[in-house]
Amino acid sequence: PPPPPPPDVRGLAELLQSCKLQDKLAPALRWCAKKGVESVEQLVEVEMEAAFARSLGGLKEAKSKLLLKRLEARRAAVLSARQRPGAPKAPPSQPQGGARERGKRGGRGG
């Protein structure tokens, strides 16, 4: 029996379609499965865009540049989303004041 199809990679079909590269979906899915890439967001987060474009083999220069440009735009979107003021942040390791406040007890009941 033929091997099962590779798992879907979030955003990949849309990305390739936007570059008119939908015929490269099967090899792109295989490459992502081999590398452990689960989404286009993850692909740009781990900076594998150039390797991904090379893996599609034989792309004309304009198609390759367009693909890389779209991936770069996706990276910018991911980074800006993380830097938004409303984006969740890691909780502080110490309450406000931290170690500097320990020596300043003053006359407040202590």
Side-chain angles (χ1 to χ4, degrees), residues 9 11 14 22 36 54 75 106:
V9 175
E14 296 84 359
Q22 51 271 42
R54 282 193 306 273
R75 176 200 298 260

Side-chain angles (χ1 to χ4, degrees), residues 8-18 25 38-41 74:
D8 189 33
V9 175
R10 284 184 312 279
L12 186 61
E14 296 84 359
L15 171 71
L16 294 175
Q17 190 172 16
S18 76
L25 182 59
E38 298 173 356
S39 68
V40 172
E41 182 177 310
R74 186 71 61 97

Side-chain angles (χ1 to χ4, degrees), residues 12-95:
L12 186 61
E14 296 84 359
L15 171 71
L16 294 175
Q17 190 172 16
S18 76
C19 299
K20 307 243 186 292
L21 292 170
Q22 51 271 42
D23 59 319
K24 298 290 187 181
L25 182 59
L29 285 169
R30 283 193 298 273
W31 183 88
C32 288
K34 182 178 173 184
K35 301 294 183 181
V37 174
E38 298 173 356
S39 68
V40 172
E41 182 177 310
Q42 183 184 36
L43 176 73
V44 299
E45 185 176 355
V46 298
E47 300 179 10
M48 295 178 79
E49 302 97 298
F52 173 71
R54 282 193 306 273
S55 78
L56 298 182
L59 292 183
K60 300 213 175 195
E61 186 177 1
K63 295 269 185 176
S64 178
K65 286 188 175 196
L66 180 61
L67 176 60
L68 289 169
K69 186 174 183 174
R70 298 268 161 87
L71 286 167
E72 185 179 314
R74 186 71 61 97
R75 176 200 298 260
V78 167
L79 292 176
S80 71
R82 290 189 179 162
Q83 294 172 355
R84 264 188 274 141
K89 295 179 184 172
S93 58
Q94 292 184 352

